[in-house]
Amino acid sequence: EEQVLIIREKLAELYESEQQWSKAAQMLSGIDLDSGVRILDDMYKLSKCVQIARLYLEDDDAVNAEAFINKASFLVSNSQQEVLNLQYKVCYARILDLKRKFLEAALRYYDISQIEKRQIGDEEIDEDALEQALSAAVTCTILAAAGPQRSRVLATLYKDERCSKLKIYPILQKVNLERILRKPEIDAFAEELKPHQKALLPDNSTVLDRAMIEHNLLSASKLYTNISFEELGTLLGIPPQKAEKIAARMIYEDRMRGSIDQVEAVIHFEDDTEELQQWDQQIAGLCQALNDILDSMTSKGM
Amino acid sequence: SFLRQVSSLLRRLPAMESEKFQDDFLMEYNDTLLVAYLAM
Amino acid sequence: DADAIYYYDEAVLAKFQQEKPWTQDPNYFRRVKISALALLKMVVHARSGGTIEVMGLMQGKTDGDTIIVMDAFALPVEGTETRVNAQADAYEYMVEYAQTNKQAGRLENVVGWYHSHPGYGCWLSGIDVSTQMLNQQFQEPFLAVVIDPTRTVSAGKVEIGAFRTYPQGYKPPDEPVSEYQTIPLNKIEDFGVHCKQYYALDITYFKSALDSHLLDLLWNKYWVNTLSSSPLLGNRDYVAGQISDLAEKLEQAENQLAHTRLGSFLLPSQRKKEPEESQLAKITRDSSKITVEQVHGLMSQVIKDILFNSVHH
């Protein structure tokens, strides 16, 4: 087995140098890590599992990579090797991302982006890598299904002042403040997405489309008391029937408060904020607007 | 632009104008008077 | 020189720590100065706890008979009045925080602890007295601060008290005079038993030049908060609790009055007039306080209605 292991590692190295990632991964996954003949120490097993997972991920092959990351997750808890732990974390986040578990992936990306050390083992942790992890966290959060959990992660990211320097910040701001996103902004955001994030869903729309429509629908529910599906469809850029179907699902999943009058084809949004509290909010907005006008008049010397 | 801002500001008045608001407001008004009466 | 107070003179304070003047006089410390920053942090933290008591520590120094609180930080502890030694949950956190502070060049030591009494006033309960006594044995100089976030909202000013306990068994020469405050019926016993074991210190506040600048900026927007908030909304539960407490106290006073009337046929000279009057006087005072706060709240609602709802196109 010893000789086989050496040959496999050598071949894997060659495949890797030719960037044939999956072949290299297959070559390594042929090594029998659990054989009773030789006692392999846990760290060696862990490093192999993580290496194979990374190779599969180079080809965006989440299924095979996940098999090895699951094996690694039993070994990583008592691993002291920080480089390996970091690689494991990155693999795990990317697998969640590829499997469209966007919210969990976002939390792991964010955790990675907060690494304080700049030197782990012989690996240099540069700011770009951390910025990429942060940006990936924002992207995944935006793609996640709208709801209270996503809002919490959005708020955390929005408060993190590193995000204000990201190219993606304007979108993050609008999504966090529950403002409606226009088509040009969505298209610009789509440019940054990875292939799997643009993949088509069974109903022939992309993950991004769904996330954006749901987001805009939630934003509209903050703006309007009620709206006809005709108007809503126009606002969201989709047919009225589809708008009604998505709204119905979100109400059913308790991610939006409201009721649908199918005879009139109108949706009535509900806001569980008490009338008197809404009144206070309206007054705060009015005073703020008055204050802004006075400030800008003062600055113009009027 | 100031005039536009001012006119949009005025358009936001009255701040609240719903049946339910009136009910809630008067309800709270009466409750508070009742509390004052009770305390007296 | 307004910011001179922020300078930490290690030598002077080390000398003071050695002399330990507070061991000669149980009432040695009489005054507390709290920074605007520490006050804001403690009030915000107390309010975040809602109806659950929260606690934290205060950092600062001493200057003669004055304890100066420069900063405060929350402890990962809730429910200080429901457990004998809630602080124990946070020992590890406190040690680590203190060390990190030193590394970061913050020289101020912990000079006390604060916790909240949501809705039932600023005083020390039995648990608080024993915690403070323990702290005054091993961590002098140490101060106890209590904040009532609920009354802060309804009164429109920070309800806060600063206390120090007397040594075990010490009898204060005269009754410690403390400002009148409503103690709920279900807490009166706890309050009564221990209220002679500690005394209140005078509290003043200070702020730095930067604080003044920032608070002035905030003040420009303060009027928006005043117009767009309503104490009636935020404190309904508290007001309801206060009125039911009043009703219970009235009933109790009435029963006692009945007893005394019965008793007075036997020993007219023994008729103890003061307690009922002072009891009834307290209840009257509490009820007028509630009324005033309610009417204030209603006045602001009516003014807002006239200002913002009566304009029609």
Side-chain angles (χ1 to χ4, degrees), chain C residues 227-245:
Chain C
L227 282 174
S228 62
S229 63
S230 158
L232 295 183
L233 269 193
N235 260 6
R236 279 180 183 150
D237 299 351
Y238 170 60
V239 173
Q242 276 204 312
I243 291 182
S244 74
D245 180 54

Side-chain angles (χ1 to χ4, degrees), chain A residues 22-188:
Chain A
S22 295
K23 281 197 182 318
Q26 282 148 20
M27 191 48 68
L28 289 175
S29 45
I31 296 171
D32 184 357
L33 294 172
D34 307 321
S35 78
V37 176
R38 291 165 307 124
I39 305 297
L40 292 171
D41 85 311
D42 283 354
M43 283 310 105
Y44 175 79
K45 287 184 192 174
L46 177 62
S47 66
K48 279 300 153 229
C49 288
V50 169
Q51 186 186 0
I52 294 168
R54 292 178 75 196
L55 287 166
Y56 275 125
L57 284 174
E58 287 300 335
D59 285 346
D60 285 351
D61 178 351
V63 175
N64 285 315
E66 186 175 17
F68 286 91
I69 279 298
N70 289 343
K71 269 191 199 164
S73 53
F74 295 110
L75 302 164
V76 75
S77 47
N78 42 28
S79 144
Q80 309 308 324
Q81 298 194 25
E82 290 183 293
V83 177
L84 219 41
N85 296 350
L86 177 60
Q87 289 172 349
Y88 165 80
K89 277 184 179 178
V90 173
C91 286
Y92 197 50
R94 289 202 48 209
I95 286 168
L96 289 169
D97 183 355
L98 285 163
K99 296 184 68 178
R100 294 193 200 133
K101 293 183 177 174
F102 290 120
L103 209 53
E104 292 162 70
L107 288 170
R108 290 179 191 298
Y109 278 133
Y110 188 55
D111 179 39
I112 292 166
S113 77
Q114 287 183 306
I115 288 175
E116 282 153 15
K117 291 183 180 166
R118 291 294 171 265
Q119 180 78 30
I120 295 187
D122 50 5
E123 281 222 6
E124 183 79 18
I125 307 284
D126 65 347
E127 293 302 329
D128 294 358
L130 297 180
E131 189 174 301
Q132 264 174 25
L134 190 62
S135 192
V138 173
T139 302
C140 287
T141 310
I142 290 174
L143 291 174
Q149 249 194 332
R150 172 176 178 263
S151 311
R152 245 196 311 280
V153 179
L154 277 172
T156 308
L157 289 167
Y158 187 60
K159 281 182 210 144
D160 186 325
E161 28 74 48
R162 294 175 300 165
C163 289
S164 55
K165 303 181 187 72
L166 295 179
K167 193 169 165 236
I168 200 173
Y169 182 70
I171 284 259
L172 169 64
Q173 184 172 41
K174 280 204 150 188
V175 171
N176 182 53
L177 297 177
E178 294 175 341
R179 290 176 185 158
I180 291 184
L181 292 167
R182 301 294 172 196
K183 193 101 179 62
E185 290 164 318
I186 296 175
D187 296 342

Side-chain angles (χ1 to χ4, degrees), chain A residues 230-246:
Chain A
E230 203 62 40
E231 302 293 316
L232 186 60
T234 312
L235 182 72
L236 300 178
I238 56 176
Q241 297 76 7
K242 188 168 180 186
E244 179 177 343
K245 207 174 277 307
I246 293 175

Side-chain angles (χ1 to χ4, degrees), chain C residues 3 39 47 57-58 110 139 160 171 208-210 226 292 305:
Chain C
D3 293 357
L39 180 71
R47 287 206 61 188
L57 291 182
M58 301 180 291
V110 169
Q139 304 202 57
I160 185 169
K171 287 275 171 287
S208 70
L210 177 61
T226 308
V292 165
D305 188 41

Side-chain angles (χ1 to χ4, degrees), chain A residues 274 279-280 283-284 287 291, chain C residues 221 223 228 236 301 304 309:
Chain A
E274 219 178 311
W279 183 40
D280 282 339
I283 288 174
C287 296
N291 200 60
Chain C
K221 293 290 171 54
W223 61 278
S228 62
R236 279 180 183 150
Q301 291 294 75
K304 282 158 62 179
N309 275 11

Side-chain angles (χ1 to χ4, degrees), chain C residues 1-33:
Chain C
D1 54 357
D3 293 357
I5 193 170
Y6 288 87
Y7 173 67
Y8 186 87
D9 188 333
E10 208 163 356
V12 167
L13 289 155
K15 186 162 163 290
F16 181 79
Q17 195 69 24
Q18 265 157 16
E19 288 161 3
K20 298 190 189 326
W22 57 81
T23 50
Q24 318 306 325
D25 168 6
N27 283 77
Y28 177 78
F29 287 110
R30 298 184 186 288
R31 267 173 287 286
V32 182
K33 284 185 180 174

Side-chain angles (χ1 to χ4, degrees), chain C residues 172-248:
Chain C
D174 52 349
E175 180 88 354
V177 180
S178 63
E179 183 193 337
Y180 170 78
Q181 63 175 322
T182 315
I183 308 293
L185 204 55
N186 62 350
K187 303 271 182 186
I188 270 192
E189 189 186 341
D190 195 5
F191 171 77
V193 167
H194 303 281
C195 61
K196 294 183 178 49
Q197 287 174 277
Y198 59 87
Y199 67 95
L201 289 83
D202 294 332
I203 300 179
T204 54
Y205 304 101
F206 64 92
K207 56 191 177 188
S208 70
L210 177 61
D211 290 340
S212 304
H213 174 61
L214 291 175
L215 291 169
D216 289 345
L217 291 176
L218 279 172
W219 188 257
N220 287 342
K221 293 290 171 54
Y222 190 69
W223 61 278
V224 177
N225 283 21
T226 308
L227 282 174
S228 62
S229 63
S230 158
L232 295 183
L233 269 193
N235 260 6
R236 279 180 183 150
D237 299 351
Y238 170 60
V239 173
Q242 276 204 312
I243 291 182
S244 74
D245 180 54
L246 264 187
E248 281 170 44

